[in-house]
Amino acid sequence: MKINAFGLVVFCCVFQMFLFAQTEGMVFIEGGRYLPLYGRDSTVVEVNNFNMDIYPVTNKEFEQFVAKYPKWQKSKVIKLFSDGSYLSNWKNDLELKDTENPNSPVTYVSWFAAKDYCECQGKRLPTVDEWEYVAMSDEITKDARVKPSYNEQILAWYEAPRSNENLIGESPKNVWGVYDLHGLVWEWTLDFNSVLITGESRKDVDKDSNLFCGSASVNATDLMNYAAFMRYAIRGSLNAKYSMKNLGFRCVQDINEEK
Amino acid sequence: MVLTLASCNSNKSDKVSDELAIYQCPMQCEGEKVYFEPGSCPVCKMDLQAVENQNSKEVEDEGISEESIFNLTSKWHTEEGEEIQLEDLKGKTLVMVMIYTSCKAACPRLVADMRHIESQLPKSNIENLQFVLVSIDPKTDTPERLKAFAIENTMDGKQWTFLQGTESSVQEFANVLAVKYKKISPIDFSHSNIISVFNPKGELIHQQEGLGVDNKETVEAILQLTQE
């Protein structure tokens, strides 16, 4: 009983914190435990409370960013932090090409640029676990991964071409109030480089063979994992300076909870 | 957070030198002499040519190129407890690897690979060389612990440097090296086994992947860089 009362007090404090900590354009994500497709040792992982951007970062927002931080402009960005296709859909340092929509998610950005963007807003990139935790929901359920409709929708998107040119916020938001985790672009995560699928390290060879094993991913019971499987495979193949047409990002923010 | 903001504000000074073209006589009649305005050579009368093209993006006077790891401005602690930036390692050929000291499987072999590389180099080359071991477990690997590890593995000479960063700087550094790593338990990490060789300007020259592989190419790359 005492424990319950204590829990309630903590909850109230946390809730109040959350009211204060709420930032514009972000929603509160209540942490929890879940089993990711591909977590640490394939066991349950724990995600703390955090705020997440409602939308992916848009072209327009990135235009404002590079105007303020010239080192991320197309002609000024250094090779250590970018490859040749960085912002290749921009006509110059400050403007998008006319064919691009300001309200489409920004793409052709490297991990370094995405990371710095978030840090300059006092935020950070989400971890793989955080991103997947929020992304496993549909409009009404926090963990919709077992629903055939959830997976069908995501896989239908994976087949749709040029979805990066669509606008943000046009498909329904998920149960947390977050838009476009699926359907527009892939998104950078802070620790994308924690996905080891190359087998360079002897320790991960066994575990990661799961990821390459076709039978495991095509199997009917694992269809729910197929979409996630593709995301992990993409992460495993990325290099932080790559910029790609269908890879954008959004930011999250820690919530300062007194412990 | 303060650090983050500082890094966000320090963006403007880079590369102001874009318009500062340098001109030189194509025949180099006056040797390396350069002009800051277009014109003709006083000796052979040929038009001066802009020469800065390859280097025009160099960051002002420091002479750090775009590809240099010295562009990373994070702060690190050495095993001696000093605070440094990567740029403080400038001027020597760098051989870098990412490890963690509580590692039982791959790291001892990576460390052995590093020592094996060292053993194949003449003393005079080693003087132009710095072996740098960066911890991927900055929480556990304090400077004291790194120092103990150095002594234990007889890697306490001045050609060996051990670095402790922060979670964020280690992640960034790993991404520059394309090293992947993942915490798989409170004391264990799974990670790529990559030894990277940088020239004295901090540009990546060679990477060796895998454990116990033939390091002939790596040694050759180092020899070339340290020969001068």
Side-chain angles (χ1 to χ4, degrees), chain A residues 69 75-76 78 120 200-201, chain B residues 8 11 15 57 66 191-192:
Chain A
Y69 301 103
S75 73
K76 304 215 170 80
I78 61 172
C120 289
E200 305 165 311
S201 152
Chain B
C8 285
N11 300 335
K15 301 179 195 159
K57 276 190 174 176
E66 288 187 51
H191 61 105
S192 325

Side-chain angles (χ1 to χ4, degrees), chain A residues 77-94:
Chain A
V77 69
I78 61 172
K79 283 184 196 147
L80 190 70
F81 298 147
S82 66
D83 65 4
S85 52
Y86 181 78
L87 296 185
S88 58
N89 58 338
W90 289 42
K91 67 178 168 197
N92 58 38
D93 274 354
L94 298 170

Side-chain angles (χ1 to χ4, degrees), chain B residues 202-214:
Chain B
E203 294 151 354
L204 184 62
I205 300 298
H206 179 80
Q207 283 197 316
Q208 164 182 321
E209 290 187 35
L211 282 174
V213 296
D214 179 12

